[in-house]
Amino acid sequence: MTTLTLCSENGIELGSWEDRTIISDKLAALGIDYQYLPTRDLTDLNPDAVMSQYQDAIDEWQQKGGYQSVDVVSIQADNPKAPELRQKFLDEHIHIEDEVRFFAAGSGVFYLHLNHHVYAVDCTEGDFISVPAGTPHWFDMGEAPYFVAVRLFTNPDGWVAQHTGNPVAANFIDAA
Ligand SMILES: [Fe+2]
């Protein structure tokens, strides 16, 4: 279930919400675009099938955000590189462009470090989130990662993690 959890920087939970309208409103107040799009027929989760299932939504997101390119990334728990992939995004970082994801299947948690608090957005199927360029954040795909996500980029070359050096993520990630 999609959940937004508000925490102090040292990992103490201050509030939690599961209503997507509330989640959307709370994130919008922070400048984060969150939307829910009910998942469609996803018996075929190959990238081309996912792209065509969501083409109308993808067109709209591209137009709205000026995103030039789109792809579909798929991570399975039995991927031998799963621990390495998980580790790659577990430290706080920023990007010079928005990090835009739509979860067609599976889940993952974005941790947004804003206003001296941490907002953990546990994204599940049907969730769209755009983390604005320059927002300190990290992403945990979990110990047994599984997701199929559409990614939108202004410039795929710009989507590089620049680590902030802030150790705050260590207060949130278990068994990493
Ligand atoms: Fe990121």
Side-chain angles (χ1 to χ4, degrees):
M1 177 170 285
T2 306
T3 309
L4 169 65
T5 308
L6 170 64
C7 297
S8 66
E9 287 174 317
N10 53 6
I12 295 170
E13 188 178 322
L14 303 172
S16 182
W17 300 270
E18 291 177 343
D19 181 307
R20 287 190 173 97
T21 306
I22 294 173
I23 291 173
S24 174
D25 288 350
K26 286 192 176 290
L27 291 175
L30 297 163
I32 311 290
D33 188 10
Y34 165 87
Q35 299 167 28
Y36 173 67
L37 180 66
T39 43
R40 299 173 182 176
D41 176 15
L42 288 169
T43 42
D44 183 354
L45 287 170
N46 283 311
D48 288 348
V50 172
M51 290 283 278
S52 74
Q53 281 284 350
Y54 292 97
Q55 195 58 60
D56 57 331
I58 290 169
D59 289 346
E60 207 177 301
W61 293 325
Q62 274 197 282
Q63 211 167 18
K64 193 175 161 196
Y67 305 117
Q68 303 293 319
S69 60
V70 186
D71 70 9
V72 176
V73 65
S74 178
I75 309 276
Q76 309 288 334
D78 61 0
N79 185 324
K81 288 194 170 174
E84 193 183 317
L85 286 167
R86 182 188 184 201
Q87 195 60 45
K88 201 172 163 189
F89 303 107
L90 278 183
D91 290 324
E92 186 181 274
H93 61 273
I94 59 166
H95 305 281
I96 58 167
E97 66 166 79
D98 302 345
E99 180 162 347
V100 189
R101 299 290 181 268
F102 170 70
F103 288 81
S107 62
V109 187
F110 278 98
Y111 293 84
L112 313 172
H113 190 185
L114 295 161
N115 306 330
H116 303 289
H117 288 84
V118 172
Y119 297 80
V121 192
D122 191 342
C123 294
T124 57
E125 287 176 15
D127 288 337
F128 168 93
I129 188 166
S130 175
V131 180
T135 304
H137 69 280
W138 61 98
F139 177 73
D140 189 5
M141 59 180 77
E143 280 186 296
Y146 170 59
F147 62 83
V148 177
V150 178
R151 308 190 295 181
L152 295 102
F153 303 97
T154 307
N155 171 4
D157 296 335
W159 195 72
V160 174
Q162 298 176 10
H163 290 104
T164 63
N166 188 325
V168 60
N171 297 334
F172 293 83
I173 309 296
D174 297 324

